Amino acid sequence: MLSILAQGLLAASVVAVNNGLARTPQMGWNNWNSLGCDVSEALLLDTSRKLVDFGLRDVGYNYVLLDDCWQDGRGDDGYIRVDEQKFPHGLKWVAGQLHDQGLLYGMYSSSGEFTCARYEGSLDHEEEDAKSFASWDVDYLKYDNCYHRGRFGYPEVSFNRYNVMAKALKATKRDILFSLCTWGEDYVHTWGMSIANSWRVSGDIYDHFNRPDALCSCTDAKDPFCVAPGTHCSVMNIINRVAPYVDKGAPGGWNDLDMLEVGIGGMSDAEYVAHFSMWAAIKSPLLIGADLRTLSPEALSILNNPAVIAVSQDPLGKSAALVSRNLTVPKDQYGEGETQIWSGPLYPNDQLVIFLNAANEDLEIITSLDEIFVRHGPGGSAPHTKEKWDLYDLWAKRMDTSVAKKVINSPPGTLNGVKGWYNSTETPYKAGLEAGDERLLGTKVGVAAPGEIKVKVPRHSLKMYRMRSQKGPIKGYTITRDEL
Ligand SMILES: *[C@@H]1O[C@H](CO)[C@@H](O)[C@H](O)[C@H]1NC(C)=O
Ligand SMILES: *[C@@H]1O[C@H](CO)[C@@H](O)[C@H](O)[C@H]1NC(C)=O
């Protein structure tokens, strides 16, 4: 029996834009976080070969995204021009090279007169630019929000401005994933899914775990009128900002927590593990931001963990949600510190639970099945709370650094180091989960039973478990796709 609350939650389903794309959160690489404007044809081609050679394409990273700074003004004919120094063969040629490797090609513009780096923008030239993108065989458009000539401040104003490009893309008849870079402005989480496949929920991420910065003025989503989302938002800032509306993500349209910082160098290994895990659990797009030409083995072994990617690409497409938050913990020099517990359903009948320690000390985090399953029924009323659950650690089978080193150093064009690694091109995640592939399941490390559940978590890290009922699916309570 469903509780009334659970029925209400399940009925409140989200209808996403119906272009058939992003049925699971998109994955790929984008140059901005590590390279900014330093873009070129060679960069995209070198990166595409690394994606293939490192086995990253074959755990799901299939979009190669060119960010800002490719433009060279606009011609008298109204069409945007490409910088021929940076892209001597043109962008259609680049797209062809990527497609030949089984990859997809994406690029960037702004819904403004200029882009954020002050190149030519697409505002009031949407139709010409959409035609150009389609003629270059583009598969993905990241669409920014700079220099919009004041056309924002009320949801419908932003909606209408972005909808012009959505319609222009649709009119090209090419399948182009549409990704809004709207920084959470004008309640984009309430309208983004009607016209786009993902929408940014915050100011730009920067390479810090929880350091507050004056340039990121919006601290949480309780301030919907925050007008300066900013450019220096930490991992914890973004997580807390999206927490109240994680449920807006659904197959076809996702909350975008911004591109990954993993491997760029500002955070510890454990902080990067936490960053990556939370992005996967909240169903954000997973876009590698590091320069793959200089990727460390440690970063590779975070990015290529199939047990965690299987959470991101889970067929149910349900974000984990924050079920408890403890602010009464040791703080750091910025006055920051908290612990959080996140939980959510996983295909086929599993449950994800995350113990996140963002406090300034190693801590024991305590919870119970009542808390983990609070959204299945409050106050311990869900049948799930009476069962025993095996806990599978999703980081236990992380690739050894020595193996990752071998992968990175293998001669170009060989796939030596990754033999036996999970291959989602061969076996999509859904099929792997249905077959009970142990590489996706993680390693059984314990049991969660009624009563207190205590987990030790080091400072600035997390524990992430797939829970599986020892008795099998809970009777009378099956989450099906229709109910979502
Ligand atoms: C993954 O499988 C595909 C399809 O069989 C194959 O072409 C590719 O080389 C495999 N990738 C790796 C890294 O082994
Ligand atoms: C919050 O964490 C502190 C430090 O671990 C602990 O003493 C306290 O009991 C926790 N509070 C709750 C409500 O769990």
Side-chain angles (χ1 to χ4, degrees):
M1 289 285 281
L2 288 181
S3 72
I4 287 169
L5 178 65
Q7 282 181 15
L9 282 170
L10 294 171
S13 65
V14 178
V15 181
V17 64
N18 194 21
N19 62 4
L21 302 173
R23 303 311 297 172
T24 57
Q26 65 264 32
M27 297 175 64
W29 173 91
N30 174 305
N31 61 273
W32 186 259
N33 282 356
S34 55
L35 293 153
C37 271
D38 187 11
V39 296
S40 66
E41 175 182 298
L43 170 66
L44 299 187
L45 296 190
D46 289 350
T47 299
S48 66
R49 287 189 279 266
K50 300 281 183 209
L51 283 170
V52 176
D53 286 349
F54 294 175
L56 289 168
R57 178 195 65 188
D58 295 324
V59 289
Y61 298 93
N62 59 348
Y63 284 101
V64 177
L65 306 182
L66 166 63
D67 210 278
D68 205 350
C69 311
W70 55 267
Q71 310 84 341
D72 182 23
R74 191 174 290 282
D76 292 339
D77 59 0
Y79 283 86
I80 200 163
R81 288 187 303 239
V82 178
D83 186 326
E84 290 176 3
Q85 302 287 317
K86 293 172 180 166
F87 299 95
H89 293 90
L91 294 177
K92 187 183 172 74
W93 183 85
V94 171
Q97 297 290 306
L98 299 177
H99 291 154
D100 286 350
Q101 297 174 82
L103 295 164
L104 295 164
Y105 172 53
M107 56 191 299
Y108 165 103
S109 189
S110 179
S111 179
E113 58 183 327
F114 306 114
T115 66
C116 294
R118 304 192 194 195
Y119 287 78
E120 187 72 26
S122 293
L123 187 65
D124 300 331
H125 292 282
E126 289 87 352
E127 274 179 38
E128 292 102 316
D129 290 359
K131 279 183 195 158
S132 295
F133 300 145
S135 76
W136 300 333
D137 296 341
V138 166
D139 305 298
Y140 183 122
L141 178 66
K142 170 182 175 182
Y143 203 39
D144 218 332
N145 196 24
C146 285
Y147 302 106
H148 48 45
R149 299 178 67 88
R151 295 186 213 165
F152 91 118
Y154 190 76
E156 200 177 3
V157 179
S158 287
F159 175 86
N160 287 340
R161 177 164 50 91
Y162 277 93
N163 196 23
V164 179
M165 182 56 93
K167 285 180 173 163
L169 291 175
K170 200 167 180 195
T172 69
K173 301 230 177 357
R174 186 175 171 82
D175 287 337
I176 300 178
L177 191 155
F178 191 32
S179 168
L180 308 184
C181 185
T182 36
W183 321 324
E185 274 183 2
D186 281 348
Y187 298 94
V188 64
H189 62 280
T190 65
W191 52 264
M193 65 290 289
S194 300
I195 56 171
N197 299 104
S198 62
W199 50 90
R200 282 274 306 283
V201 298
S202 70
D204 284 5
I205 190 170
Y206 84 143
D207 200 4
H208 280 279
F209 187 66
N210 70 343
R211 180 186 169 277
D213 190 288
L215 281 174
C216 182
S217 66
C218 306
T219 50
D220 65 45
K222 292 189 190 83
D223 176 12
F225 297 107
C226 170
V227 290
T231 54
H232 282 215
C233 300
S234 69
V235 163
M236 287 308 298
N237 174 286
I238 295 172
I239 289 172
N240 284 327
R241 202 160 162 72
V242 75
Y245 46 85
V246 290
D247 56 340
K248 298 299 181 190
W254 307 101
N255 286 305
D256 180 354
L257 279 56
D258 204 358
M259 302 170 295
L260 298 165
E261 295 286 351
V262 176
I264 297 181
M267 292 186 233
S268 70
D269 186 76
E271 288 170 342
Y272 279 141
V273 166
H275 166 32
F276 185 69
S277 301
M278 293 307 298
W279 264 229
I282 298 172
K283 303 319 195 243
S284 171
L286 295 179
L287 299 172
I288 299 170
D291 184 348
L292 295 187
R293 300 167 304 184
T294 54
L295 192 71
S296 69
E298 291 79 8
L300 177 63
S301 71
I302 294 174
L303 297 166
N304 73 2
N305 180 344
V308 173
I309 299 173
V311 170
S312 156
Q313 302 295 301
D314 187 89
L316 296 178
K318 279 290 258 186
S319 171
L322 179 62
V323 293
S324 105
R325 188 179 183 194
N326 183 352
L327 295 162
T328 317
V329 297
K331 308 280 183 186
D332 61 20
Q333 73 266 39
Y334 313 116
E336 296 286 314
E338 60 179 294
T339 62
Q340 300 185 342
I341 298 168
W342 288 71
S343 146
L346 291 177
Y347 186 79
N349 297 288
D350 298 345
Q351 184 78 1
L352 177 70
V353 64
I354 288 177
F355 300 83
L356 173 62
N357 181 0
N360 203 27
E361 277 177 20
D362 301 355
L363 287 176
E364 190 168 60
I365 301 179
I366 301 173
T367 188
S368 63
L369 293 177
D370 291 7
E371 198 159 69
I372 292 170
F373 290 103
V374 66
R375 285 192 174 74
H376 293 68
S381 60
H384 309 66
T385 61
K386 314 291 186 284
E387 301 300 324
K388 285 194 172 147
W389 298 77
D390 291 331
L391 292 177
Y392 292 85
D393 182 347
L394 297 183
W395 281 100
K397 292 192 171 87
R398 177 176 174 181
M399 183 181 267
D400 277 351
T401 305
S402 61
V403 177
K405 211 174 260 174
K406 200 171 136 214
V407 172
I408 287 171
N409 294 327
S410 291
T414 62
L415 299 164
N416 288 340
V418 283
K419 224 175 244 159
W421 202 246
Y422 194 78
N423 186 334
S424 64
T425 306
E426 216 160 58
T427 314
Y429 285 101
K430 185 171 185 227
L433 289 168
E434 278 165 358
D437 194 308
E438 290 195 355
R439 293 168 296 183
L440 303 186
L441 209 55
T443 300
K444 191 180 156 189
V445 291
V447 175
E452 270 190 350
I453 298 167
K454 298 183 185 177
V455 177
K456 284 201 179 110
V457 191
R459 174 186 176 274
H460 287 199
S461 72
L462 56 64
K463 297 284 179 188
M464 182 183 201
Y465 304 109
R466 178 183 283 269
M467 301 170 66
R468 181 160 284 186
S469 164
Q470 290 185 348
K471 269 190 10 198
I474 307 295
K475 293 231 163 49
Y477 199 109
T478 310
I479 294 184
T480 69
R481 286 192 69 94
D482 288 340
E483 288 170 308
L484 297 168

